[in-house]
Amino acid sequence: MTALVDEQALERPPDDCRSPKVAGHPTSAIRRYLRSPKTIWCPGCSNGIAMRAVVDAVLSLQLDHDKIAVVAGIGCAGRVAQYLDFSTVHTPHGRALAVATGAKAADPSLTLLVVMGDGDCVAIGGNHLIHAARRNIDLTAIVFNNSIYGMTGGQMSPTTFPGDRSTTSVWGNVEPAFDTCELAHAAGATYVARGTSYSYMKLVQAIAGGIVHRGFSFVEAMTSCPTYYGRQNDVPTAAAMLEVQKARAVPVDKFDRDGPRLRDRYPVGVLHHVERAEYTSAYEEVRRRAQDRSG
Ligand code: SF4
């Protein structure tokens, strides 16, 4: 009798864990992938940096433009669906991963890039995140984490650090913050990385590594919201917010792995990378077996 579960397909280190080579591209090359050069993000918002990093990663990997689909959720990060000139879908709040799962199941040859904000991904869409990670479906989830709900007026999100202020925690947040990378790892993501908008090329590298990985990739891009988070937390300028990222980001090989993600430091780089059976391939195998038995 054929085993239903391939025991050999359990998690293992990748055969080749070298990061893909990435290069920065001139603005003229990036613009070809934008529907409009005009930004509707606030001055100093680093969502534009993270979006450019997505395009730079795609260009570095020389992917087929027609085989890329970008799925975005609701919120300031979700605006990428309007900017990027790929096949794009702007989904209801929290549902980007569910829609991307359907698109990938329908056409496994697509490269799916799923851009979400932190509230979109780990609050209203948290359930979709854990199940997409558990299935190990071949998507690249990129979370623009500015630690706040920007579009709706600066409310506290699940990634607001304890003590920080927002319009719904004006005297300081008392809740612990989600470590989105630890969450994705625990749920089954097979590639997990974090970068910052301060270290641009490292962020491009982290995203490119996620795209080439076959399985569920999760990349947290630390971004900054000067309009709400900065103003409310005494970080008055966009440049100052990037300086904060620079101070907090610690390369993963230097980070104390036993320590939790803290307000004053977090590991950056590739945090977790293993191989495990990918969902659409496993599903295709089951379909083939069923056809063999019924034929
Ligand atoms: Fe960016 Fe914040 Fe403005 Fe939204 S509200 S566009 S996250 S600066």
Side-chain angles (χ1 to χ4, degrees):
M1 187 176 153
T2 313
L4 288 176
V5 176
D6 178 1
E7 297 289 341
Q8 301 303 313
L10 297 176
E11 286 193 355
R12 58 183 179 270
D15 294 335
D16 180 3
C17 59
R18 277 177 302 180
S19 298
K21 283 202 170 70
V22 295
H25 294 79
T27 298
S28 56
I30 300 285
R31 274 201 182 150
R32 285 204 288 275
Y33 294 86
L34 302 181
R35 293 192 174 117
S36 165
K38 284 189 183 168
T39 179
I40 52 171
W41 285 316
C42 305
C45 175
S46 70
N47 279 347
I49 298 174
M51 181 179 72
R52 183 182 176 126
V54 172
V55 179
D56 248 336
V58 166
L59 294 182
S60 293
L61 298 173
Q62 300 182 322
L63 301 173
D64 180 355
H65 186 156
D66 293 334
K67 284 291 187 185
I68 296 171
V70 177
V71 183
I74 296 294
C76 296
R79 294 284 185 191
V80 300
Q82 275 98 55
Y83 286 131
L84 290 177
D85 193 13
F86 300 109
S87 297
T88 59
V89 191
H90 201 174
T91 71
H93 202 196
R95 306 297 175 242
L97 282 166
V99 171
T101 296
K104 186 71 182 180
D107 183 356
S109 71
L110 289 176
T111 297
L112 260 300
L113 309 177
V114 189
V115 177
M116 300 165 282
D118 45 297
D120 192 34
C121 179
V122 295
I124 194 164
N127 217 22
H128 293 302
L129 170 67
I130 60 176
H131 292 292
R134 176 179 64 84
R135 291 187 190 109
N136 196 34
I137 188 164
D138 185 27
L139 312 172
T140 302
I142 306 157
V143 181
F144 292 8
N145 181 4
N146 59 14
S147 305
I148 206 162
Y149 286 96
M151 183 174 275
T152 50
Q155 295 87 353
M156 182 180 89
S157 92
T159 60
T160 304
F161 288 105
D164 281 2
R165 292 189 292 275
S166 69
T167 51
T168 48
S169 59
V170 289
W171 298 107
N173 172 28
V174 295
E175 298 180 8
F178 255 146
D179 181 327
T180 67
C181 288
E182 286 293 320
L183 178 64
H185 179 181
T190 44
Y191 175 93
V192 180
R194 179 184 286 120
T196 65
S197 32
Y198 176 82
S199 286
Y200 177 76
M201 286 313 296
K202 288 183 182 159
L203 178 58
V204 178
Q205 185 86 58
I207 295 170
I211 295 171
V212 298
H213 173 71
R214 177 127 177 95
F216 187 79
S217 301
F218 183 88
V219 180
E220 182 180 59
M222 300 301 287
T223 56
S224 45
C225 171
T227 300
Y228 287 111
Y229 207 92
R231 276 189 199 154
Q232 294 180 95
N233 288 285
D234 304 323
V235 194
T237 65
M241 292 202 82
L242 291 178
E243 287 294 336
V244 169
Q245 286 185 3
K246 178 187 177 190
R248 289 177 175 173
V250 181
V252 63
D253 51 340
K254 294 191 180 142
F255 190 82
D256 172 8
R257 286 169 189 271
D258 296 330
R261 175 184 191 266
L262 297 171
R263 188 180 188 284
D264 59 353
R265 65 188 173 87
Y266 40 73
V268 290
V270 178
L271 312 182
H272 177 64
H273 190 187
V274 293
E275 302 287 349
R276 175 159 63 83
E278 190 276 329
Y279 177 80
T280 57
S281 300
Y283 193 83
E284 178 56 28
E285 175 61 19
V286 168
R287 203 168 65 88
R288 193 186 56 72
R289 269 192 242 152
Q291 282 175 337
D292 285 353
R293 288 187 68 168
S294 60

